[in-house]
Amino acid sequence: MGEAPSDHQLHVARVAVHLCAQLADGMQDVEPVLKPIQNLVANSEGAEAMPLAVQTLSVVARRRVEASLRFNPVIPLTALAIGKDAAGRCAWAARESLHQFASDGNGVGQAYAQLLAGYAHIELMDSAKALKAAVASEELFKSQKNKPGEAAALCCQSSARLLRAMAGSSPQLQLAEDKEEKVKAVKKRQEEEAKAGISSARAACCIYSDIDDRKSEAACLTLVGELMLAKDEVDEAKNVAREARDIFQDLEDPYGEARALNLILSANMLHEADAVDALFAAKDVLWLFRGNDISEEEEDKKAVNWVEGADAPSLAIWDGKLMAICAQIKVGGTGAIADGLHGQAKVHFSIGELSEAKEVAQEALKYYQQAKMSPKEAACGQGYALQTLAHTHCAELSPDEGLPFSEQSVELFATAGDVKGQAMAKAVLAYQDTMSRMKQLEDTPQAFTQQSNARVTENWTVIEDAMAMMRDIRNQEGEDTIGSLIYEMNQKVGEIQKKMSTPTKTVWTVDKVTRKAKQKDYYEPVDPGTQLATQE
């Protein structure tokens, strides 16, 4: 016999409530909203619990996705993504509840189920399903004359468009035949997606302005800015970010203001000429949470007080009852300072201020270590900061000093069970170390020892392991990225071998089209013992 409808609704509600509790870590105002829904589940009142649970989960999923979906994230985020496993369960909850809502004629329930499905599929990198669900959600909210819901669905569409605008620019495309034509076609498609996303996000901003939800309006403006970055409209993106920052300042929302500043920072980092402006933006982010002469204890207190005292935006109404959720993601004051310092370190590095970059990155590590973080948050915070610190040492041609930091980063991602992060940490270790040693050999050959060559050989094993890990989890984007790193490493090793060698054979041919003679030199090392490690 099949499961009774009431039992099935209870099961869906139970899964949704569990996911809410899991994903709402750091969202200060979710717990009081979640508590009565948990009581309904405990009392086996599935019919009443399921609509509320699905709605709450849609809000939590939206906040998680919007916090982690960024076009050019200069600062690696400590805000955790939903993750593929949880996103899959969100998609299941959306699908199962949608059938029941349709059977019951519950239009609002269907709208929130579709909204949840949209954000789940964004996390699962399926933009086609995400966009389809978001459009269906918008139509349902419109039929219910639910303006906040309609705006949320429009934002979901924009996020799906942003995902599409970010896709397709695989590093492997640089190796393809007819590269210029293919790159041009990809760029055109990305711009069209970004343009459509901006239109949806602007419409959502108008709704939020009409209903006087300024916090949501400002958050939506940052989404517009991310889409403008995807179109390479850097100045427009910065103007929108400044507009959002002004609203967040009026609301005394330091986290929102930091996000707007990070958007300005990301925009400035896209073009070398704007790097100095990026440094000012990075310092402004840091000042928000540290200021002058403020103790670390007061920094944390400042962050907590703001979150607890924040006004909760009105996101939905069920049966005339207002449900308000302020899903502000918070790592803590110390973590926010660490993020700001790390961003500043990366800007220093980009403009060649290596000693400053190293000093600030070390300070960021100190704050990350003091922050109360889960293993995954520690990996996202400390792990990426360690990679930045290793990079500064490699740029100073001191790869032996940077190697321990890279190895520690790999260990952090492994401890957190983040296979993708661990694989990329391994690939970055191998790439940075090899490129630094090749530059060292080029500039100061006497500093390149047998131990250096042995390390380069080991790096090939490390990056092959990283590629295998990406294949195991079927992450094509990761495979493409690592493939491009391998290509660059081989190119660099080949260049160095050429400089160390003399042509042993020269062949002249005639081009059949141009009828011009072409020379091709074949190289072998002068001394077979100096053969560098390469990957076939």
Side-chain angles (χ1 to χ4, degrees):
M1 295 179 65
E3 187 178 34
S6 59
D7 292 338
H8 186 62
Q9 290 177 61
L10 182 62
H11 180 52
V12 173
R14 186 177 289 114
V15 170
V17 165
H18 176 74
L19 282 169
C20 280
Q22 176 186 334
L23 299 176
D25 182 32
M27 300 184 186
Q28 299 292 317
D29 288 353
V30 171
E31 185 177 350
V33 175
L34 197 57
K35 192 67 176 176
I37 307 174
Q38 291 171 326
N39 291 337
L40 289 172
V41 170
N43 294 327
S44 299
E45 298 179 47
E48 292 197 22
M50 188 179 73
L52 297 172
V54 170
Q55 177 188 353
T56 306
L57 183 56
S58 73
V59 175
V60 172
R62 175 187 176 185
R63 297 303 184 191
R64 280 291 188 210
V65 169
E66 289 185 347
S68 57
L69 185 64
R70 292 167 60 188
F71 178 73
N72 184 41
V74 175
I75 302 176
L77 297 172
T78 49
L80 296 179
I82 293 175
K84 296 295 184 282
D85 290 342
R89 284 180 286 156
C90 284
W92 176 87
R95 183 178 65 250
E96 296 300 311
S97 62
L98 183 61
H99 293 318
Q100 187 63 48
F101 290 140
S103 177
D104 295 341
N106 186 339
V108 178
Q110 292 177 68
Y112 277 107
Q114 292 282 20
L115 184 63
L116 173 59
Y119 281 108
H121 286 302
I122 289 172
E123 182 67 23
L124 293 168
M125 308 296 285
D126 192 336
S127 60
K129 287 184 179 178
L131 194 56
K132 182 180 178 181
V135 170
S137 179
E138 181 196 0
E139 292 173 352
L140 286 160
F141 277 124
K142 276 185 176 179
S143 68
Q144 300 294 321
K145 297 182 179 179
N146 185 323
K147 285 296 184 180
E150 182 184 342
L154 285 166
C155 286
C156 187
Q157 292 176 43
S158 296
S159 294
R161 297 285 188 187
L162 177 57
L163 186 65
R164 288 186 167 192
M166 293 162 62
S169 54
S170 165
Q172 296 296 81
L173 193 62
Q174 300 298 320
L175 312 180
E177 294 182 7
D178 302 323
K179 178 184 71 175
E180 291 184 5
E181 289 300 318
K182 290 178 180 177
V183 169
K184 189 181 297 183
V186 168
K187 184 67 176 174
K188 181 180 179 181
R189 185 172 69 248
Q190 290 172 330
E191 288 181 353
E192 288 173 350
E193 293 291 350
K195 183 178 179 181
I198 290 170
S199 178
S200 297
R202 285 290 194 189
C205 284
C206 289
I207 292 175
Y208 286 129
S209 178
D210 289 343
I211 63 177
D212 198 27
D213 186 347
R214 301 193 71 207
K215 184 184 287 289
S216 295
E217 180 186 0
C220 194
L221 283 169
T222 62
L223 178 56
V224 173
E226 297 289 354
L227 286 154
M228 285 179 169
L229 285 190
K231 285 191 70 190
D232 200 28
E233 296 178 352
V234 176
D235 290 337
E236 292 85 348
K238 287 190 282 189
N239 288 336
V240 168
R242 292 186 185 107
E243 187 179 350
R245 184 189 181 187
D246 288 342
I247 296 175
F248 283 126
Q249 283 181 327
D250 289 344
L251 297 173
E252 297 183 353
D253 179 345
Y255 286 94
E257 188 179 349
R259 185 178 175 189
L261 283 167
N262 283 332
L263 177 55
I264 295 171
L265 169 60
S266 298
N268 285 325
M269 288 291 282
L270 284 175
H271 298 289
E272 188 175 345
D274 297 327
V276 174
D277 290 336
L279 186 58
F280 285 115
K283 290 181 176 179
D284 281 348
V285 173
L286 184 60
W287 183 87
L288 278 173
F289 299 101
R290 183 155 67 176
N292 296 318
D293 301 322
I294 298 177
S295 69
E296 293 174 12
E297 183 178 345
E298 288 177 342
E299 290 157 1
D300 284 328
K301 184 178 179 182
K302 174 183 176 182
V304 171
N305 285 344
W306 174 79
V307 174
E308 291 178 347
D311 291 330
S314 304
L315 295 179
I317 296 178
W318 281 93
D319 300 328
K321 298 176 183 177
L322 178 66
M323 276 193 66
I325 299 176
C326 176
Q328 175 63 45
I329 296 174
K330 173 185 174 293
V331 173
T334 307
I337 293 167
D339 282 344
L341 285 165
H342 188 195
Q344 185 177 329
K346 295 191 77 169
V347 179
H348 279 304
F349 181 88
S350 72
I351 59 179
E353 297 178 347
L354 299 182
S355 60
E356 290 88 345
K358 188 162 52 177
E359 180 182 345
V360 176
Q362 287 171 333
E363 190 178 359
L365 270 175
K366 181 188 73 171
Y367 275 94
Y368 279 128
Q369 289 162 355
Q370 291 172 355
K372 294 179 181 178
M373 291 183 168
S374 68
K376 286 188 177 181
E377 289 169 335
C380 290
Q382 294 181 47
Y384 288 121
L386 285 163
Q387 289 176 20
T388 299
L389 190 53
H391 202 177
T392 61
H393 284 289
C394 287
E396 290 178 334
L397 302 187
S398 302
D400 288 327
E401 294 181 29
L403 190 58
F405 297 114
S406 292
E407 291 173 337
Q408 190 179 346
S409 174
V410 173
E411 290 173 4
L412 281 168
F413 283 104
T415 301
D418 185 343
V419 178
K420 178 185 175 183
Q422 184 184 359
M424 282 309 304
K426 282 189 171 188
V428 168
L429 180 159
Y431 174 80
Q432 290 180 351
D433 189 86
T434 297
M435 299 300 274
S436 178
R437 292 182 195 277
M438 291 300 97
K439 180 65 175 172
Q440 188 183 62
L441 175 60
E442 188 176 25
D443 294 351
T444 55
Q446 67 276 10
F448 192 83
T449 63
Q450 286 296 328
Q451 288 81 4
S452 296
N453 194 49
R455 182 63 238 180
V456 172
T457 304
E458 174 63 21
N459 287 340
W460 288 117
T461 302
V462 172
I463 204 164
E464 284 174 347
D465 288 345
M467 180 67 86
M469 292 172 74
M470 284 297 186
R471 285 174 180 155
D472 287 343
I473 61 175
R474 298 180 181 180
N475 189 310
Q476 187 60 52
E477 182 184 2
E479 284 186 51
D480 290 344
T481 301
I482 294 175
S484 70
L485 297 181
I486 290 173
Y487 176 78
E488 286 187 43
M489 289 165 64
N490 265 322
Q491 288 287 98
K492 188 63 178 179
V493 170
E495 289 175 11
I496 300 300
Q497 283 186 335
K498 212 176 243 192
K499 288 186 178 182
M500 294 169 58
S501 311
T502 55
T504 56
K505 182 170 66 173
T506 300
V507 176
W508 288 87
T509 59
V510 176
D511 189 290
K512 293 180 181 179
V513 178
T514 65
R515 312 301 298 172
K516 292 183 179 180
K518 296 191 302 183
Q519 175 184 344
K520 186 172 179 68
D521 294 328
Y522 292 87
Y523 291 85
E524 291 179 4
V526 176
D527 176 5
T530 64
Q531 178 69 43
L532 291 170
T534 60
Q535 183 185 64
E536 296 297 331

